[in-house]
Amino acid sequence: MSVLTILKYFDYLKKGRGPRHHQEIVENYANALGISMQFFDVQKSGKLVNNKIVWRGDSALHDGSEENLDLSKGLYDAGDLMKFGFPMAFTATVLSWAILEYGDHMNAVKQLEHAQESLKWITDYLINAHPSQNMLYIQVGDPDLDHSCWERPETMSEKRPLTQINTTFPGTEVAAETAAAMASASLVFRRINSSYANLLLMHARQLFTFADTYRGSYSMSVPQVQKYYNSTGYEDELLWAATWLYHATRDRSYLEYVTDINGQAFANWGIPTWFSWDNKHAGLQVLLSRINIFGSEDVSETENLGLQMYRRTAESIMCGLLPDSPTATSSRTDSGLIWIVKWNSLQHPVASAFLAVLYSDYMITSGTETLYCSGKSYQPHDLRKFAISQVDYLLGKNPMEMSYLVGYGNNYPLYVHHRGSSIPANANTGCTDGFKWLESESPNPNVAIGALVGGPFLNESYIDSRNNSMQGEPTTYNSALLVGLLSGLVTSSQMVKSYT
């Protein structure tokens, strides 16, 4: 097996997907990347393997058992103990994207294997959550019951009901996002575990067909999700999933789906948006720009016209991010941080910076020297400079002079809104008697290493209180976006022109 693994690795290098020539390592970003990767370990559910977090143990081992399913793996969503399928699948898609684009950067700082293991922990769960073609389990746990408890995951005792979507109660956006996660992950594992990659791709195809055939929002089918992860529409997820399936299969029908068939109706061409777990449009514009920028022999004239529209929209997004562009967004703090909403405010600047690094590197690799914004020209390094401004802010270059990444630097939040972090590992609390730890005035006894907290208010203040979930609760999807951003900035190199 060892010999086979080595041979596969050399094949990986020969085919151009291994380490490429890169510039010097930026040590502070390498340090931040190593720290941020650990939050996936903090959030793991199930029987832990090679556990690196001393205060975490096995948990939720019986999730799914009432339906004879093993849903013990996956990641807890945030500071609670829920498994929400929609944002978890988005976490997997973004982590896959980061690995596909910057796997060589991760490898240069010894984080690639960690990233792959974290991704597989999610996709193992997603595979088991899809037991039949037109059924997907999208949630483990009752959020109202979960939020009425404050306890460690290792000592959970309340019921963990399952929620599913099916042909009667469809959920197009979550089925499509899960298809995107599996298609993108299949590309990650293609040369290191081909049978697993094929399994992922089979599930991705089935889930996309299910999502597209039985259209309907999961927010309508499962109204209780509206309080937590309400969807504003599923058209973006259908395009997002089809795009990842095109990258994974080179099946022209998926490219036709996102250009000729549904581009005009679904893509919001010409309308810049913000990239998030709910809205994939901005990520979609950048991902499809990649095909237009690097070219593809199997693209028809009409498909190419659609790709050009995606690229023009991506350029509009980039122009909005550049601070001195004629079309720069005014949605920023005085110090220049992109700021859109008060809940989980760091998601949008991190997501925007990740897209900016990607687009900058697409330009460099393709020899595209200039981005035009309403008559003013910019170069790739301007986008990279913007991305650096956002990540430097969250790492401590801000009016609070604090790092919003737990474990990085000497001044970071100590009262993170996180159950496992806030309760001593030797405490044996039940559902409600753990609330004394929520109300405790002492700092969290366990460091939620790698957690990116919600972030500052518009006035750039931050209140470090365990009860301040608006600012102090971390999420796994924020971590995936940050991993992508840091991986892009930790060094530089030419990008692969094709994922396959």
Side-chain angles (χ1 to χ4, degrees), residues 192-482:
I192 55 179
N193 190 338
S194 60
S195 60
Y196 187 70
N198 290 336
L199 178 63
L200 286 168
L201 194 53
M202 180 197 73
H203 282 279
R205 286 182 181 274
Q206 289 183 357
L207 280 164
F208 177 75
T209 300
F210 170 44
D212 193 37
T213 304
Y214 299 94
R215 292 186 184 180
S217 174
Y218 95 130
S219 292
M220 298 296 103
S221 296
V222 190
Q224 58 264 40
V225 304
Q226 296 176 19
K227 186 178 177 182
Y228 300 97
Y229 285 102
N230 183 46
S231 170
T232 56
Y234 56 71
E235 294 83 0
D236 53 322
E237 278 84 19
L238 285 172
L239 297 175
W240 179 242
T243 300
W244 279 113
L245 277 161
Y246 173 70
H247 278 293
T249 66
R250 288 294 164 175
D251 182 335
R252 282 279 296 280
S253 67
Y254 293 118
L255 184 61
E256 185 181 15
Y257 184 96
V258 302
T259 53
D260 296 355
I261 299 175
N262 294 298
Q264 188 70 43
F266 290 175
N268 283 359
W269 285 335
I271 305 174
T273 52
W274 300 104
F275 187 39
S276 72
W277 59 264
D278 178 44
N279 191 334
K280 316 298 157 44
H281 277 116
L284 176 72
Q285 318 289 357
V286 171
L287 184 60
L288 283 167
S289 294
R290 167 183 247 287
I291 301 171
N292 183 257
I293 290 171
F294 293 139
S296 180
E297 295 178 359
D298 60 351
V299 175
S300 71
E301 184 176 346
T302 55
E303 289 164 349
N304 192 52
L305 288 173
L307 291 174
Q308 288 179 29
M309 293 301 297
Y310 282 108
R311 182 175 177 180
R312 288 176 189 172
T313 309
E315 290 174 346
S316 296
I317 293 168
M318 295 303 118
C319 289
L321 298 178
L322 293 167
D324 63 344
S325 162
T327 56
T329 180
S330 60
S331 300
R332 305 174 199 264
T333 67
D334 289 343
S335 298
L337 181 76
I338 294 291
W339 199 95
I340 310 301
V341 292
K342 61 183 179 181
W343 279 93
N344 193 16
S345 64
L346 283 175
Q347 179 185 189
H348 291 101
V350 173
S352 299
F354 175 49
L355 296 184
V357 169
L358 285 172
Y359 205 84
S360 170
D361 286 344
Y362 293 169
M363 291 178 68
I364 291 171
T365 301
S366 65
T368 304
E369 297 180 355
T370 306
L371 171 67
Y372 292 99
C373 302
S374 298
K376 194 170 181 180
S377 62
Y378 296 90
Q379 296 177 321
H381 71 80
D382 293 309
L383 289 171
R384 195 173 185 88
K385 182 180 178 182
F386 159 75
I388 288 171
S389 74
Q390 304 300 290
V391 76
D392 283 355
Y393 185 104
L394 70 89
L395 292 179
K397 195 175 181 180
N398 56 65
M400 296 291 292
E401 297 184 345
M402 67 175 291
S403 163
Y404 291 103
L405 177 64
V406 175
Y408 182 88
N410 298 317
N411 181 25
Y412 50 80
L414 301 177
Y415 296 82
V416 180
H417 183 90
H418 188 277
R419 286 159 176 74
S421 174
S422 69
I423 302 175
N426 60 357
N428 187 19
T429 60
C431 169
T432 57
D433 53 346
F435 276 104
K436 65 183 179 183
W437 301 109
L438 172 64
E439 305 298 337
S440 169
E441 296 183 1
S442 299
N444 288 1
N446 310 309
V447 178
I449 185 78
L452 179 65
V453 296
F457 288 134
L458 181 57
N459 66 5
E460 305 189 86
S461 66
Y462 180 86
I463 301 169
D464 191 13
S465 167
R466 203 173 289 116
N467 270 303
N468 182 14
S469 58
M470 182 183 295
Q471 290 187 288
E473 185 169 18
T475 62
T476 54
Y477 46 91
N478 273 14
S479 291
L481 289 162
L482 181 59

